[in-house]
Amino acid sequence: MEEFSESVKNPSALISPETFAYAPGTSYLSIKGVTKVFRKGFSHLIKKGDGIIALDNFSLEIGKGEIFGILGPNGAGKSTLIKVITGLVVPDEGSVTLEGLDFRRDKEKFMEKIGAQIETPVFFNKKSGLWNLEYLAALQGGLPDQRIKDIVELVGLSERIKSRVGTYSMGMRQRLGIAQAIMHKPELLVLDEPINGLDPDGIAEVRDLIRRLRDEYGTTVLFSSHILGEMQTLCDRVAFLSKGRPVAVKTREEIEKGVGETAILSVICDEPNRAAALITDTFGLRTKVQGATLYVEVKSVNTADINKALIESGISVVSFNVNKRTLEEMYKELTK
């Protein structure tokens, strides 16, 4: 009853995100049994029992064309997972395949399909955005001018691409970072904390770009973030990580429904104590009265039946609202 009492202090409704056309198919990125252990303060490998376990028998399947989010507290393994996928860290055990390509056996072809922005993008600040992109393109063997122009237009930097990067806002730098990550038309775009540190306008810019890449170009996007609202709005699915493992994977629809089937029903009525007794006797649900408001822990009961029972008993109902748990509450419960 203590958890229920705590939850009714500040019940909040879950805001439904926009609807995206995501049709899950067969597994595209497959991560199976990946383990990575670091020696404290060093980067070389040691026995699992003697070091820091960054990933612990980690397995995950991601669909083609999916926007997939990774959530977890610091030290949960998010960055290590991203570095394993992008070839920056070699795991001790396990396999990673991308549309059948093995990250060890087919490393060159595997990496050709991936674009990545890891942490804060670094550029030559005294040079223009265009100069930076042309320089990075040259390192990859060069790109046609039209291709670079198309990328600049896609990320929304056409008006400022000839300005020095040192004059860019954080959001513009992030978009330039994504531009360099997609120059070779990757099928999978991996982004580590792409919206952290941005103001609301910058977050909106990056969010819209991620949507365009998936919706218009079929790019699969995997990204991590600590901004829960953006994960809830943008992702088709979210993996909750804790201590190097995914403890749950939730679809957007499951997040909308909240943790399990439990929600908090708040009812303002003229006889809250009688209403509480009626609901407990009729439906077997837990209730709590605070002033004129009655809180009911609802599971599988149809709330319309509760409302009908109150009215038929002569109780005058002023308001009747169902408050589902937010992604923040789900995050705290799954990663604690």
Side-chain angles (χ1 to χ4, degrees):
M1 193 66 180
E2 181 179 351
E3 291 182 0
F4 175 50
S5 299
E6 183 67 24
S7 67
V8 301
K9 291 181 181 178
N10 187 28
S12 57
L14 188 68
I15 300 174
S16 298
E18 296 181 21
T19 301
F20 296 95
Y22 163 60
T26 58
S27 176
Y28 176 65
L29 176 64
S30 179
I31 304 161
K32 294 183 178 179
V34 169
T35 294
K36 177 64 182 179
V37 184
F38 292 102
R39 183 190 296 274
K40 294 182 180 180
F42 298 91
S43 61
H44 56 280
L45 304 177
I46 61 165
K47 294 181 180 179
K48 183 174 179 180
D50 299 327
I52 299 173
I53 304 173
L55 297 174
D56 187 7
N57 195 28
F58 190 106
S59 296
L60 192 66
E61 304 288 333
I62 297 174
K64 190 174 181 64
E66 186 172 16
I67 298 178
F68 195 99
I70 302 174
L71 270 177
N74 291 334
K78 301 186 301 298
S79 293
T80 302
L81 174 64
I82 284 176
K83 289 176 181 177
V84 166
I85 294 171
T86 54
L88 297 176
V89 168
V90 179
D92 305 350
E93 303 171 3
S95 66
V96 180
T97 58
L98 182 62
E99 209 167 31
L101 295 174
D102 184 85
F103 77 132
R104 287 192 178 95
R105 185 185 63 247
D106 311 300
K107 185 174 182 179
E108 186 173 342
K109 292 182 178 179
F110 184 99
M111 296 309 301
E112 286 176 356
K113 291 179 175 287
I114 298 178
Q117 178 180 305
I118 309 297
E119 300 174 346
T120 304
V122 177
F123 299 103
F124 294 95
N125 287 332
K126 294 183 179 181
K127 300 292 185 178
S128 70
L130 180 61
W131 186 94
N132 275 272
L133 289 182
E134 290 175 339
Y135 174 78
L136 292 168
L139 295 179
Q140 299 180 37
L143 286 175
D145 291 341
Q146 185 61 47
R147 172 61 183 163
I148 295 178
K149 182 179 179 181
D150 291 343
I151 292 172
V152 170
E153 183 177 351
L154 173 62
V155 300
L157 285 176
S158 297
E159 294 184 2
R160 293 292 305 279
I161 196 61
K162 293 184 179 180
S163 300
R164 289 186 298 109
V165 172
T167 67
Y168 282 13
S169 66
M170 182 67 76
M172 293 172 66
R173 292 179 69 92
Q174 292 288 52
R175 283 185 283 150
L176 187 65
I178 294 176
Q180 64 84 22
I182 63 174
M183 285 194 295
H184 63 293
K185 298 182 180 180
E187 295 179 10
L188 171 65
L189 178 61
V190 182
L191 304 173
D192 188 14
E193 308 283 2
I195 55 180
N196 283 12
L198 300 185
D199 60 22
D201 289 339
I203 291 174
E205 291 168 357
V206 174
R207 179 206 307 142
D208 292 343
L209 176 55
I210 290 174
R211 285 173 174 163
R212 283 196 66 191
L213 288 169
R214 197 283 298 278
D215 295 342
E216 297 180 22
Y217 299 89
T219 308
T220 302
V221 182
L222 170 66
F223 77 101
S224 68
S225 176
H226 285 98
I227 302 179
L228 302 182
E230 286 303 311
M231 301 291 274
Q232 178 179 328
T233 300
L234 189 56
C235 297
D236 296 302
R237 288 192 298 156
V238 176
F240 296 80
L241 273 58
S242 179
K243 299 179 181 178
R245 289 185 175 183
V247 293
V249 178
K250 299 286 185 180
T251 65
R252 186 170 55 251
E253 291 75 16
E254 288 172 329
I255 292 172
E256 287 181 12
K257 293 178 181 178
V259 179
E261 298 178 348
T262 301
I264 302 299
L265 170 65
S266 60
V267 182
I268 298 178
C269 58
D270 61 345
E271 299 180 79
N273 290 314
R274 186 162 75 90
L278 173 65
I279 291 172
T280 298
D281 293 341
T282 305
F283 301 99
L285 300 176
R286 295 197 295 177
T287 62
K288 183 177 180 64
V289 176
Q290 291 183 346
T293 304
L294 165 65
Y295 294 102
V296 184
E297 187 180 41
V298 181
K299 293 186 178 179
S300 58
V301 176
N302 189 336
T303 55
D305 292 337
I306 296 176
N307 192 32
K308 181 181 178 181
L310 294 175
I311 294 172
E312 289 180 347
S313 298
I315 296 173
S316 179
V317 177
V318 178
S319 69
F320 191 92
N321 297 296
V322 178
N323 302 289
K324 298 177 181 178
R325 295 188 182 183
T326 63
L327 180 57
E328 180 178 359
E329 291 169 318
M330 180 180 288
Y331 169 83
K332 289 179 179 178
E333 178 158 326
L334 292 172
T335 61
K336 65 183 179 181

